[in-house]
Amino acid sequence: MKVLIIGSGGREHAIAQKVSMSPLVDKIFCAPGNAGIAQYAQCIDLPISDFTGLAQFAKKEAIDLTIVGMDDPLVAGVVDVFESHGLRIFGPRKNAAIIEGSKAFSKNLMKKYGIPTAAYETFSSSKDAIDYLREVNYPIVLKADGLALGKGVLICENYEEAVIGVKQIMEEKQFGSAGDCLVVEEFLTGKEVSVLAFCDGKHILPMTSAQDHKRAKDGDQGLNTGGMGTISPSPFYTEDIEAYCMKHIYQPTMDAMRAEGRDFVGILFVGLILTESGPKVLEYNARFGDPEAQVVLPRMKNDLVEVCQACIDGRLDQIKLEFEDNAAVCVILASGGYPEAYKKGYPIRGLENFIGKDDYYVFHAGTKIEGEDIVTNGGRVLGITAKGHDLQDARNKAYEATAWVDFKDKYMRTDIGKLDLQELS
Ligand code: AMP
Ligand code: GLY
């Protein structure tokens, strides 16, 4: 088989690595890919917004299966374009990817079908939103409706802050048209858990859990980022909680999408918060999480390609997912300054230290090949993942391996998984 992967981050590297292990696969392409993905795949320099161009490429190369890593192309309908060319592609169609593309859509879906989530109101006028904010309890959460690179969520401590937030989102359009509509949501507290699940439109198979660390600095301080590190599994996501979520969240979400004529095929990423009154949905995404994929996929025993094929064919009920009985930790090495301004183009040294080391992975996010060197080319540069027999062991190994590579302005959080270990002891 020939497989095409769409995307260029650490998530797509983790997908490419897993696909390369499938006995079904002879050749992998990736658009656009990066320097790490190039070890497994032929990277092709096609703009990922040109769906027709990508589909023509897939036809020309007789690609048997395309896997989409990124959210933007899914929300914009890449799956529909590929299918209209008779190509097999793994991911939700546009009418289902809206579960990530519009927070107002997903909140209304959850309300209609009784899926537990934070109480909320939606607004299309900033005046109405500001009037409403006089009546609410603080803190309160403001969310731009559309895609905003994970930055469209503001937690406001008081009315004055909230008014500024509404103006930034709805009037100044800080997140562009994502702010045409606003969701104002009750602030919840609890442990956050990311659960990625395979879906075939009817059946849903959740993978092992993960926990992201979204803030830039230690102690969950600083700005929100795409994710500075992950652990898997989440020690707080017990079997009882999983069973509750299957019954009240996962299967009901599949059934709701089906009832709406929006059958969801692909990866449903459920962002959960474990509150005192039970697990609730913070958000849905329509693809693998990044860096969640960098801890979940290395622990997966199944052939990823086989599971994707079962999703497309609607026979996920014939698959049994299996994960290793261990733990994984991923520490992101970022460019100093991220998520604000940072420099790129610095050579990365020491990547060869990972060769032949079982249980250690160096996933490339923002890297590119320049002459003889691999250089930094983004905010999140590398994801260093290690597997261990438990969280402590995996954490020790991942941090040990962060010292094997170096580049100018290298920055990482030093406390990925630390709080979890403290709370467990
Ligand atoms: P989202 O993009 O919706 O996942 O939101 C980004 C982050 O904002 C989440 O990971 C949470 O840490 C925080 N957040 C979002 N919604 C809420 C909420 N209702 N209550 C508390 N924190 C929230
Ligand atoms: N790590 C969060 C995300 O992929 O959206």
Side-chain angles (χ1 to χ4, degrees), residues 11 212 214 226-227 269 283 285 287-292 380:
R11 163 182 51 209
D212 197 2
K214 284 206 160 124
F269 169 150
E283 64 161 349
N285 295 313
R287 34 91 194 161
F288 280 104
D290 194 1
E292 283 87 346
R380 292 189 291 177

Side-chain angles (χ1 to χ4, degrees), residues 324-338:
E324 292 170 3
D325 183 18
N326 57 10
V329 170
C330 171
V331 181
I332 297 294
L333 303 185
S335 299
Y338 173 76

Side-chain angles (χ1 to χ4, degrees), residues 203-224:
H203 312 100
I204 179 161
L205 275 188
M207 293 176 237
T208 185
S209 62
Q211 187 192 316
D212 197 2
H213 294 66
K214 284 206 160 124
R215 301 294 198 93
K217 299 197 174 137
D218 281 8
D220 290 328
Q221 303 293 310
L223 294 171
N224 253 333

Side-chain angles (χ1 to χ4, degrees), residues 103 118 141 143 153 155 185-188 192 214 224 273 282-283:
K103 291 195 192 285
V141 185
K143 298 186 171 185
V153 175
I155 294 171
E185 191 173 283
E186 164 199 18
F187 178 79
L188 299 175
E192 287 185 42
K214 284 206 160 124
N224 253 333
I273 185 159
L282 275 187
E283 64 161 349

Side-chain angles (χ1 to χ4, degrees), residues 57-227:
F57 173 83
K59 269 189 140 161
K60 181 170 77 60
E61 290 292 342
I63 301 287
D64 300 288
L65 171 68
T66 298
I67 301 176
V68 191
M70 300 171 71
D71 45 3
D72 295 23
L74 290 169
V75 171
V78 69
V79 171
D80 307 60
V81 173
F82 268 57
E83 286 183 347
S84 73
H85 284 82
L87 292 158
R88 267 172 90 77
I89 180 162
F90 177 69
R93 293 184 187 138
K94 186 174 181 176
N95 75 352
I98 191 175
I99 202 166
E100 170 164 9
S102 166
K103 291 195 192 285
F105 170 86
S106 67
K107 293 298 289 189
N108 292 338
L109 184 87
M110 286 186 268
K111 187 189 232 172
K112 181 169 172 189
Y113 292 91
I115 297 165
T117 189
Y120 74 101
E121 293 289 336
T122 56
F123 297 93
S124 50
S125 121
S126 59
K127 185 182 169 299
D128 293 349
I130 289 170
D131 284 346
Y132 172 73
L133 287 165
R134 285 185 224 282
E135 308 160 14
V136 301
N137 295 326
Y138 286 87
I140 192 94
V141 185
L142 307 183
K143 298 186 171 185
D145 175 52
L147 293 183
L149 294 169
K151 294 179 189 154
V153 175
L154 302 178
I155 294 171
C156 304
E157 297 297 331
N158 52 49
Y159 174 72
E160 288 71 29
E161 253 183 69
V163 170
I164 294 172
V166 170
K167 289 187 174 162
Q168 282 172 343
I169 294 175
M170 300 192 84
E171 294 176 9
E172 294 155 29
K173 301 278 181 196
Q174 212 170 77
F175 309 109
S177 61
D180 291 350
C181 173
L182 180 78
V183 174
V184 179
E185 191 173 283
E186 164 199 18
F187 178 79
L188 299 175
T189 48
K191 287 280 169 202
E192 287 185 42
V193 181
S194 303
V195 177
L196 316 176
F198 289 100
C199 306
D200 71 359
K202 203 169 171 185
H203 312 100
I204 179 161
L205 275 188
M207 293 176 237
T208 185
S209 62
Q211 187 192 316
D212 197 2
H213 294 66
K214 284 206 160 124
R215 301 294 198 93
K217 299 197 174 137
D218 281 8
D220 290 328
Q221 303 293 310
L223 294 171
N224 253 333
T225 69

